[in-house]
Amino acid sequence: MIIVLLGPPGSGKGTQAELIYKKFNFFHFSTGNILRNEVKEKTKIGQEIESIINAGKLISDKIIIQIVDNKITEKLGHYKGFLFDGFPRNLDQAQALDTLLNKGNQTLSTVIQLYVDEKEAVKRIQKRKLEEKRQDDNEDVLKSRLKVYLNETKPLLDFYQKENKLNKINGMQTINDVNNQINDFILSLKNT
Ligand code: AP5
Ligand code: MG
C-alpha cells in the first residue's frame, strides 16, 4: 500500500506517520527528516540546502527526486507499505512519484489530506519551537512555509481529487482521534 500524507506545516503529518508506520510495518519516508539530517551532518547537499530550508522555501525538484530515487527504488516490494510524508510537494514531484511507482509496478493507493486552519498550525509550530528547536520554526519562516503550501502544494489536492485518490481527515481533533480515523481508513482499504 502506498500512501501520501498531505497537509500544511503543523497539520500532524510527522506525528501521524510515526504512529502509522509502527502499527502497519510501513516504510516512513519523510523528505523533511532526510533533509534536516543532511544539514546536521554537513554533507554537500546539506550545505547547499540549509539556507533554503531556513527561509521556508522548497528545495529544488532535482535534489528531491534524486533523493527519492536513491532511497525508495530499491525498497519497493520489500515493505508492506510506504508512507510519504512531505513528498510530493508540487505537481512535478507528483508526476515523478507516479513514474517511480510505475517502474516498480506499483500504484499510489491513497492520499490522506490532514486539514487544519492557520491559527491551529501557528499555535502548534510555536509549541514545537520550544520542544524541538527546529531552525525553520519561527514566525516569519512559518509564514513563508504556509505560503509555499498554498501556492505550490495545495494544487495537488485537485490533482489527486481528479484521480479519485483524495481522502480528507480533520487534523484538528486530538492526536489519538486523528490516528484512529486514519487506522480505520487504512484497514478499510486493506479489506477491499
Ligand atoms: P517538512 O519537514 O515536511 O515540514 P512541514 O511540511 O512544514 O511540516 P511540519 O513538519 O512542520 O509539520 P507536520 O505536518 O509534520 O506536523 P507535526 O506532526 O510535526 O519540510 C521542511 C522543509 O524541508 C520545507 O520547508 C522545505 O524547505 C524542505 N522540504 C521537505 N520536503 C520537501 C520536498 N518534497 N520538496 C522540496 N522541499 C522539501 O506536528 C507539529 C506539532 O503539532 C508537533 O509539536 C506535534 O506534537 C503537534 N501536533 C500534531 N498533531 C496534533 C494534534 N492532533 N493536536 C495537537 N497537537 C498536535
Ligand atoms: Mg513533519
Side-chain angles (χ1 to χ4, degrees):
M1 189 175 302
I2 317 271
I3 300 176
V4 165
L5 288 176
L6 260 187
S11 56
K13 301 182 295 295
T15 304
Q16 294 301 328
E18 282 289 317
L19 298 169
I20 304 165
Y21 97 84
K22 287 179 185 148
K23 180 174 171 68
F24 292 100
N25 259 318
F26 288 173
F27 184 79
H28 175 199
F29 182 76
S30 159
T31 38
N33 288 351
I34 292 169
L35 296 170
R36 279 186 289 281
N37 202 44
E38 296 280 340
V39 172
K40 195 170 140 221
E41 300 292 327
K42 298 192 191 308
T43 63
K44 190 165 168 281
I45 288 184
Q47 292 175 31
E48 272 176 45
I49 63 175
E50 185 170 12
S51 62
I52 305 172
I53 293 190
N54 290 347
K57 303 268 165 30
L58 291 187
I59 307 305
S60 75
D61 289 341
K62 190 167 164 250
I63 290 180
I64 295 293
I65 291 165
Q66 199 182 330
I67 290 175
V68 178
D69 258 336
N70 287 343
K71 305 231 182 233
I72 294 295
T73 309
E74 65 190 27
K75 296 197 170 61
L76 281 176
H78 292 95
Y79 280 83
K80 286 188 181 160
F82 285 81
L83 203 52
F84 287 93
D85 154 14
F87 173 86
R89 266 326 218 252
N90 59 29
L91 287 165
D92 285 341
Q93 292 185 14
Q95 264 137 16
L97 176 62
D98 277 347
T99 307
L100 179 107
L101 294 177
N102 281 343
K103 269 197 245 160
N105 285 325
Q106 307 262 352
T107 48
L108 181 61
S109 314
T110 190
V111 175
I112 297 177
Q113 177 198 358
L114 290 171
Y115 59 90
V116 295
D117 61 30
E118 192 170 324
K119 204 169 139 214
E120 178 69 17
V122 170
K123 200 175 95 191
R124 289 184 188 175
I125 297 295
Q126 278 170 344
K127 180 179 144 268
R128 189 179 61 189
K129 179 182 160 65
L130 305 172
E131 296 162 354
E132 288 183 25
K133 313 237 171 338
R134 241 173 79 168
Q135 293 291 325
D136 58 347
D137 277 350
N138 68 60
E139 214 174 309
D140 284 344
V141 179
L142 178 60
K143 271 188 201 147
S144 161
R145 284 157 62 200
L146 285 164
K147 202 166 139 199
V148 167
Y149 176 77
L150 290 178
N151 292 339
E152 304 194 40
T153 309
K154 227 175 157 200
L156 288 181
L157 299 177
D158 274 347
F159 176 79
Y160 287 125
Q161 180 75 59
K162 282 187 188 124
E163 294 193 349
N164 267 330
K165 297 226 160 124
L166 190 67
N167 288 282
K168 302 179 187 189
I169 288 190
N170 177 5
M172 294 203 290
Q173 314 170 76
T174 64
I175 291 175
N176 218 0
D177 285 348
V178 175
N179 188 238
N180 285 336
Q181 221 177 314
I182 295 179
N183 288 347
D184 287 348
F185 175 62
I186 293 175
L187 287 170
S188 75
L189 287 180
K190 278 178 159 234
N191 293 330
T192 51

